[in-house]
Amino acid sequence: MPSLVEIVGRLGGRVVGDGSTVVSQVGSLEAAKAGEIAFLASPKYRKVLATTGASAVILPPAAESASELPRIITDQPYLYFARLAQLLNPSAQAATGIHPSAVVESAVPASVSVGPLAHIGVNCEIGENVIIGPGCSVGAGTRIGAGSLLYGNVTLYHDTVIGERCIIHSGAVIGADGFGYARERNGAWVKIPQIGRAVLGDDVEVGANTTIDRGALDDTFVGNGVKLDNMVQIAHNVKIGEHTAMAGCSGVAGSTIVGARVMVGGQAGINGHIEVASDTVVSSRTLISKSVKQAGIYTSAMPAMPHDEWMKSAAHFRHLDALVTRLRELEKRIADLERKP
């Protein structure tokens, strides 16, 4: 268990108070117990400092005098908390080797762990210290970079590329066919073979039950450091820039280019064949229907309201075109009157 002095020695920051205080875990201001360290990132929680059970706290410089507890002062308390949480909660190390029930058709390094009932196809390249959980399916020709982790029941279709230190959560499917069809005159659909790949960069995290389709001709690409929440859909030929983050149930339609460091809220949707500028923020439940050339915050979601109010508003929506026409006519008439002597 590290002391505050030892923590600062590894993560930076500045200690105020008893630097020999030892902490074993992180916790919230409201629920932390003795031996734990909490953090203050928002002024609205400042009053909780007086009653917290934590042994130490992480504070911004502006709140240095807000508590008498031993404390670490840093400009970014939430980021510091995240790094300290990693330090105090290292990832569990799986036993190396191949479980007897696994089927492995490619050579793997001795440092790799392959769980029960997993399958690795032919011509795969698996890096050092990769963990492939129980029930995973790794298709032929797939490459997985060093230090990556596949939780149980992940499916990687053939020729998928996973970078180094990636985390793929259970139920994710990467490299499935994109939604590509041509239509006959009678309405029947003709499948277009999807011959591209799904390629993930380094340090990508993919949430549970998220799907990333392979490209139709070119590759679908997810850049370094991208974070995808649970149940996100990335369609074929999409390109996502580095360090973009997408929250649960959001999706990107085919052949769209999403820039770097974009943040997409839950249930938001991005249309196909468009571009979204780097550093754009898309609010929850927003639909991006055309290209976003200028970075900014974009919102289109309608907030909840009482049902009766919504019905009245919906009735007005149907007449908006007529209201706009009448407004323009009135504006023109007023302008004509103002021009008269």
Side-chain angles (χ1 to χ4, degrees):
M1 293 188 294
S3 68
L4 298 189
V5 168
E6 291 170 334
I7 292 170
V8 166
R10 295 189 61 172
L11 302 180
R14 175 168 53 89
V15 175
V16 176
D18 185 3
S20 66
T21 301
V22 171
V23 295
S24 60
Q25 191 53 276
V26 293
S28 65
L29 284 172
E30 296 88 346
K33 304 180 292 293
E36 296 181 346
I37 184 169
F39 73 100
L40 175 71
S42 173
K44 67 181 181 180
Y45 295 109
R46 191 163 177 164
K47 61 183 180 181
V48 186
L49 279 171
T51 58
T52 185
S55 295
V57 288
I58 305 166
L59 302 177
E64 179 176 336
S65 61
S67 175
E68 295 298 322
L69 290 171
R71 49 208 181 274
I72 294 174
I73 308 303
T74 176
D75 290 334
Q76 295 179 291
Y78 188 56
L79 177 60
Y80 199 99
F81 166 81
R83 289 174 174 160
L84 180 54
Q86 290 182 349
L87 178 65
L88 296 176
N89 299 275
S91 299
Q93 297 299 312
T96 58
I98 301 172
H99 191 274
S101 65
V103 176
V104 179
E105 302 180 80
S106 298
V108 299
S111 61
V112 167
S113 172
V114 182
L117 301 176
H119 173 250
I120 299 175
V122 298
N123 300 321
C124 291
E125 297 179 21
I126 310 298
E128 297 284 349
N129 301 305
V130 167
I131 299 173
I132 297 175
C136 288
S137 176
V138 179
T142 289
R143 302 205 309 264
I144 303 176
S148 288
L149 166 62
L150 276 61
Y151 283 97
N153 298 310
V154 166
T155 298
L156 306 182
Y157 278 56
H158 62 280
D159 298 319
T160 293
V161 178
I162 305 295
E164 298 185 354
R165 300 174 302 278
C166 292
I167 301 172
I168 315 296
H169 288 276
S170 295
V173 178
I174 302 175
D177 283 357
F179 194 65
Y181 302 89
R183 203 171 193 188
E184 300 272 18
R185 289 185 176 179
N186 65 1
W189 296 101
V190 178
K191 183 176 177 63
I192 300 172
Q194 305 290 287
I195 61 176
R197 304 175 299 171
V199 178
L200 277 60
D202 299 334
D203 302 299
V204 173
E205 184 159 1
V206 178
N209 295 322
T210 281
T211 53
I212 303 173
D213 293 342
R214 68 190 316 105
L217 297 174
D218 301 324
D219 296 337
T220 300
F221 180 75
V222 178
N224 295 338
V226 168
K227 311 300 180 188
L228 303 178
D229 197 2
N230 301 334
M231 295 187 290
V232 171
Q233 159 67 5
I234 306 299
H236 60 183
N237 300 103
V238 167
K239 314 293 183 189
I240 300 181
E242 63 181 17
H243 305 303
T244 284
M246 298 182 63
C249 299
S250 56
V252 184
S255 300
T256 282
I257 299 174
V258 178
R261 301 172 301 279
V262 172
M263 293 189 290
V264 180
Q267 295 187 325
I270 301 176
N271 269 6
H273 301 274
I274 64 174
E275 298 185 17
V276 177
S278 295
D279 300 301
T280 294
V281 177
V282 180
S283 300
S284 297
R285 303 194 72 183
T286 293
L287 172 63
I288 301 296
S289 59
K290 60 184 179 179
S291 289
V292 175
K293 300 294 188 180
Q294 182 68 42
I297 301 174
Y298 293 82
T299 304
S300 65
M302 178 70 74
M305 62 180 69
H307 179 72
D308 289 346
E309 292 183 22
W310 165 252
M311 293 300 291
K312 291 177 183 177
S313 297
H316 292 313
F317 293 156
R318 292 188 306 223
H319 303 293
L320 283 179
D321 283 345
L323 289 172
V324 169
T325 300
R326 291 175 60 189
L327 179 60
R328 287 174 178 167
E329 291 174 350
L330 287 171
E331 288 175 338
K332 183 177 182 302
R333 291 168 63 182
I334 291 172
D336 290 341
L337 290 171
E338 289 177 343
R339 282 194 296 269
K340 290 181 179 180

PDB file of all heavy atoms in Angstrom, residues 146-164:
ATOM      1  N   ALA A 146       0.650  -7.181 -29.453  1.00  0.00           N
ATOM      2  CA  ALA A 146       1.133  -7.538 -28.114  1.00  0.00           C
ATOM      3  C   ALA A 146       0.326  -6.849 -27.021  1.00  0.00           C
ATOM      4  O   ALA A 146      -0.054  -5.684 -27.139  1.00  0.00           O
ATOM      5  CB  ALA A 146       2.609  -7.166 -27.980  1.00  0.00           C
ATOM      6  N   GLY A 147       0.070  -7.603 -25.961  1.00  0.00           N
ATOM      7  CA  GLY A 147      -0.578  -7.045 -24.784  1.00  0.00           C
ATOM      8  C   GLY A 147      -2.060  -6.828 -24.894  1.00  0.00           C
ATOM      9  O   GLY A 147      -2.679  -6.254 -23.980  1.00  0.00           O
ATOM     10  N   SER A 148      -2.682  -7.259 -25.961  1.00  0.00           N
ATOM     11  CA  SER A 148      -4.131  -7.066 -26.118  1.00  0.00           C
ATOM     12  C   SER A 148      -4.908  -8.127 -25.344  1.00  0.00           C
ATOM     13  O   SER A 148      -4.422  -9.239 -25.115  1.00  0.00           O
ATOM     14  CB  SER A 148      -4.534  -7.095 -27.592  1.00  0.00           C
ATOM     15  OG  SER A 148      -4.098  -5.924 -28.244  1.00  0.00           O
ATOM     16  N   LEU A 149      -6.119  -7.767 -24.956  1.00  0.00           N
ATOM     17  CA  LEU A 149      -6.974  -8.622 -24.132  1.00  0.00           C
ATOM     18  C   LEU A 149      -8.324  -8.794 -24.794  1.00  0.00           C
ATOM     19  O   LEU A 149      -9.007  -7.803 -25.096  1.00  0.00           O
ATOM     20  CB  LEU A 149      -7.147  -7.998 -22.738  1.00  0.00           C
ATOM     21  CG  LEU A 149      -8.262  -8.551 -21.846  1.00  0.00           C
ATOM     22  CD1 LEU A 149      -8.032 -10.027 -21.531  1.00  0.00           C
ATOM     23  CD2 LEU A 149      -8.356  -7.730 -20.555  1.00  0.00           C
ATOM     24  N   LEU A 150      -8.706 -10.041 -25.036  1.00  0.00           N
ATOM     25  CA  LEU A 150     -10.045 -10.380 -25.516  1.00  0.00           C
ATOM     26  C   LEU A 150     -10.783 -11.091 -24.392  1.00  0.00           C
ATOM     27  O   LEU A 150     -10.380 -12.179 -23.964  1.00  0.00           O
ATOM     28  CB  LEU A 150      -9.984 -11.306 -26.735  1.00  0.00           C
ATOM     29  CG  LEU A 150      -9.784 -10.690 -28.123  1.00  0.00           C
ATOM     30  CD1 LEU A 150      -8.467  -9.933 -28.208  1.00  0.00           C
ATOM     31  CD2 LEU A 150      -9.843 -11.771 -29.189  1.00  0.00           C
ATOM     32  N   TYR A 151     -11.837 -10.470 -23.882  1.00  0.00           N
ATOM     33  CA  TYR A 151     -12.660 -11.133 -22.882  1.00  0.00           C
ATOM     34  C   TYR A 151     -13.471 -12.262 -23.546  1.00  0.00           C
ATOM     35  O   TYR A 151     -13.459 -12.419 -24.759  1.00  0.00           O
ATOM     36  CB  TYR A 151     -13.584 -10.133 -22.197  1.00  0.00           C
ATOM     37  CG  TYR A 151     -12.878  -9.279 -21.161  1.00  0.00           C
ATOM     38  CD1 TYR A 151     -12.411  -8.005 -21.472  1.00  0.00           C
ATOM     39  CD2 TYR A 151     -12.668  -9.760 -19.874  1.00  0.00           C
ATOM     40  CE1 TYR A 151     -11.760  -7.224 -20.522  1.00  0.00           C
ATOM     41  CE2 TYR A 151     -12.023  -8.988 -18.910  1.00  0.00           C
ATOM     42  CZ  TYR A 151     -11.571  -7.721 -19.242  1.00  0.00           C
ATOM     43  OH  TYR A 151     -10.910  -6.964 -18.308  1.00  0.00           O
ATOM     44  N   GLY A 152     -14.161 -13.032 -22.728  1.00  0.00           N
ATOM     45  CA  GLY A 152     -14.866 -14.196 -23.229  1.00  0.00           C
ATOM     46  C   GLY A 152     -15.860 -13.896 -24.332  1.00  0.00           C
ATOM     47  O   GLY A 152     -16.525 -12.855 -24.334  1.00  0.00           O
ATOM     48  N   ASN A 153     -15.931 -14.826 -25.310  1.00  0.00           N
ATOM     49  CA  ASN A 153     -16.938 -14.788 -26.372  1.00  0.00           C
ATOM     50  C   ASN A 153     -16.827 -13.584 -27.295  1.00  0.00           C
ATOM     51  O   ASN A 153     -17.828 -13.078 -27.797  1.00  0.00           O
ATOM     52  CB  ASN A 153     -18.348 -14.868 -25.773  1.00  0.00           C
ATOM     53  CG  ASN A 153     -18.576 -16.161 -25.020  1.00  0.00           C
ATOM     54  OD1 ASN A 153     -18.299 -17.242 -25.536  1.00  0.00           O
ATOM     55  ND2 ASN A 153     -19.037 -16.057 -23.782  1.00  0.00           N
ATOM     56  N   VAL A 154     -15.614 -13.139 -27.527  1.00  0.00           N
ATOM     57  CA  VAL A 154     -15.353 -12.151 -28.579  1.00  0.00           C
ATOM     58  C   VAL A 154     -15.182 -12.888 -29.899  1.00  0.00           C
ATOM     59  O   VAL A 154     -14.581 -13.964 -29.954  1.00  0.00           O
ATOM     60  CB  VAL A 154     -14.094 -11.326 -28.253  1.00  0.00           C
ATOM     61  CG1 VAL A 154     -13.616 -10.541 -29.474  1.00  0.00           C
ATOM     62  CG2 VAL A 154     -14.356 -10.389 -27.089  1.00  0.00           C
ATOM     63  N   THR A 155     -15.700 -12.315 -30.977  1.00  0.00           N
ATOM     64  CA  THR A 155     -15.554 -12.909 -32.302  1.00  0.00           C
ATOM     65  C   THR A 155     -14.802 -11.958 -33.218  1.00  0.00           C
ATOM     66  O   THR A 155     -15.234 -10.812 -33.434  1.00  0.00           O
ATOM     67  CB  THR A 155     -16.929 -13.226 -32.918  1.00  0.00           C
ATOM     68  OG1 THR A 155     -17.616 -14.177 -32.098  1.00  0.00           O
ATOM     69  CG2 THR A 155     -16.768 -13.803 -34.318  1.00  0.00           C
ATOM     70  N   LEU A 156     -13.676 -12.421 -33.740  1.00  0.00           N
ATOM     71  CA  LEU A 156     -12.914 -11.690 -34.745  1.00  0.00           C
ATOM     72  C   LEU A 156     -13.006 -12.480 -36.051  1.00  0.00           C
ATOM     73  O   LEU A 156     -12.525 -13.613 -36.135  1.00  0.00           O
ATOM     74  CB  LEU A 156     -11.443 -11.547 -34.333  1.00  0.00           C
ATOM     75  CG  LEU A 156     -11.154 -10.936 -32.955  1.00  0.00           C
ATOM     76  CD1 LEU A 156      -9.651 -10.836 -32.736  1.00  0.00           C
ATOM     77  CD2 LEU A 156     -11.808  -9.576 -32.800  1.00  0.00           C
ATOM     78  N   TYR A 157     -13.637 -11.893 -37.053  1.00  0.00           N
ATOM     79  CA  TYR A 157     -13.724 -12.561 -38.345  1.00  0.00           C
ATOM     80  C   TYR A 157     -12.347 -12.617 -39.019  1.00  0.00           C
ATOM     81  O   TYR A 157     -11.385 -11.989 -38.567  1.00  0.00           O
ATOM     82  CB  TYR A 157     -14.713 -11.830 -39.245  1.00  0.00           C
ATOM     83  CG  TYR A 157     -16.168 -12.189 -39.017  1.00  0.00           C
ATOM     84  CD1 TYR A 157     -16.762 -12.058 -37.772  1.00  0.00           C
ATOM     85  CD2 TYR A 157     -16.951 -12.643 -40.067  1.00  0.00           C
ATOM     86  CE1 TYR A 157     -18.086 -12.375 -37.571  1.00  0.00           C
ATOM     87  CE2 TYR A 157     -18.291 -12.960 -39.886  1.00  0.00           C
ATOM     88  CZ  TYR A 157     -18.853 -12.823 -38.631  1.00  0.00           C
ATOM     89  OH  TYR A 157     -20.176 -13.146 -38.440  1.00  0.00           O
ATOM     90  N   HIS A 158     -12.259 -13.322 -40.114  1.00  0.00           N
ATOM     91  CA  HIS A 158     -10.989 -13.530 -40.801  1.00  0.00           C
ATOM     92  C   HIS A 158     -10.334 -12.208 -41.209  1.00  0.00           C
ATOM     93  O   HIS A 158     -11.012 -11.240 -41.552  1.00  0.00           O
ATOM     94  CB  HIS A 158     -11.203 -14.404 -42.047  1.00  0.00           C
ATOM     95  CG  HIS A 158     -12.112 -13.786 -43.066  1.00  0.00           C
ATOM     96  ND1 HIS A 158     -13.484 -13.812 -42.950  1.00  0.00           N
ATOM     97  CD2 HIS A 158     -11.849 -13.118 -44.210  1.00  0.00           C
ATOM     98  CE1 HIS A 158     -14.032 -13.200 -43.977  1.00  0.00           C
ATOM     99  NE2 HIS A 158     -13.057 -12.757 -44.754  1.00  0.00           N
ATOM    100  N   ASP A 159      -9.005 -12.201 -41.145  1.00  0.00           N
ATOM    101  CA  ASP A 159      -8.162 -11.092 -41.608  1.00  0.00           C
ATOM    102  C   ASP A 159      -8.358  -9.795 -40.823  1.00  0.00           C
ATOM    103  O   ASP A 159      -7.933  -8.725 -41.267  1.00  0.00           O
ATOM    104  CB  ASP A 159      -8.395 -10.818 -43.109  1.00  0.00           C
ATOM    105  CG  ASP A 159      -8.018 -12.012 -43.970  1.00  0.00           C
ATOM    106  OD1 ASP A 159      -6.984 -12.643 -43.678  1.00  0.00           O
ATOM    107  OD2 ASP A 159      -8.760 -12.328 -44.920  1.00  0.00           O
ATOM    108  N   THR A 160      -8.970  -9.873 -39.667  1.00  0.00           N
ATOM    109  CA  THR A 160      -9.093  -8.697 -38.803  1.00  0.00           C
ATOM    110  C   THR A 160      -7.722  -8.341 -38.234  1.00  0.00           C
ATOM    111  O   THR A 160      -6.889  -9.215 -37.972  1.00  0.00           O
ATOM    112  CB  THR A 160     -10.094  -8.981 -37.668  1.00  0.00           C
ATOM    113  OG1 THR A 160     -11.402  -9.120 -38.237  1.00  0.00           O
ATOM    114  CG2 THR A 160     -10.120  -7.873 -36.642  1.00  0.00           C
ATOM    115  N   VAL A 161      -7.500  -7.054 -38.015  1.00  0.00           N
ATOM    116  CA  VAL A 161      -6.236  -6.582 -37.431  1.00  0.00           C
ATOM    117  C   VAL A 161      -6.544  -5.830 -36.137  1.00  0.00           C
ATOM    118  O   VAL A 161      -7.301  -4.853 -36.140  1.00  0.00           O
ATOM    119  CB  VAL A 161      -5.475  -5.658 -38.402  1.00  0.00           C
ATOM    120  CG1 VAL A 161      -4.187  -5.149 -37.754  1.00  0.00           C
ATOM    121  CG2 VAL A 161      -5.151  -6.397 -39.692  1.00  0.00           C
ATOM    122  N   ILE A 162      -5.967  -6.291 -35.033  1.00  0.00           N
ATOM    123  CA  ILE A 162      -6.106  -5.646 -33.725  1.00  0.00           C
ATOM    124  C   ILE A 162      -4.722  -5.155 -33.306  1.00  0.00           C
ATOM    125  O   ILE A 162      -3.750  -5.916 -33.336  1.00  0.00           O
ATOM    126  CB  ILE A 162      -6.645  -6.646 -32.665  1.00  0.00           C
ATOM    127  CG1 ILE A 162      -7.962  -7.281 -33.132  1.00  0.00           C
ATOM    128  CG2 ILE A 162      -6.803  -5.949 -31.318  1.00  0.00           C
ATOM    129  CD1 ILE A 162      -9.108  -6.324 -33.278  1.00  0.00           C
ATOM    130  N   GLY A 163      -4.615  -3.896 -32.919  1.00  0.00           N
ATOM    131  CA  GLY A 163      -3.327  -3.333 -32.536  1.00  0.00           C
ATOM    132  C   GLY A 163      -2.857  -3.803 -31.173  1.00  0.00           C
ATOM    133  O   GLY A 163      -3.393  -4.743 -30.591  1.00  0.00           O
ATOM    134  N   GLU A 164      -1.851  -3.144 -30.652  1.00  0.00           N
ATOM    135  CA  GLU A 164      -1.281  -3.494 -29.353  1.00  0.00           C
ATOM    136  C   GLU A 164      -2.092  -2.882 -28.209  1.00  0.00           C
ATOM    137  O   GLU A 164      -2.684  -1.818 -28.341  1.00  0.00           O
ATOM    138  CB  GLU A 164       0.170  -3.016 -29.263  1.00  0.00           C
ATOM    139  CG  GLU A 164       1.088  -3.672 -30.288  1.00  0.00           C
ATOM    140  CD  GLU A 164       2.536  -3.267 -30.104  1.00  0.00           C
ATOM    141  OE1 GLU A 164       2.816  -2.396 -29.249  1.00  0.00           O
ATOM    142  OE2 GLU A 164       3.403  -3.818 -30.814  1.00  0.00           O
TER     143      GLU A 164
END
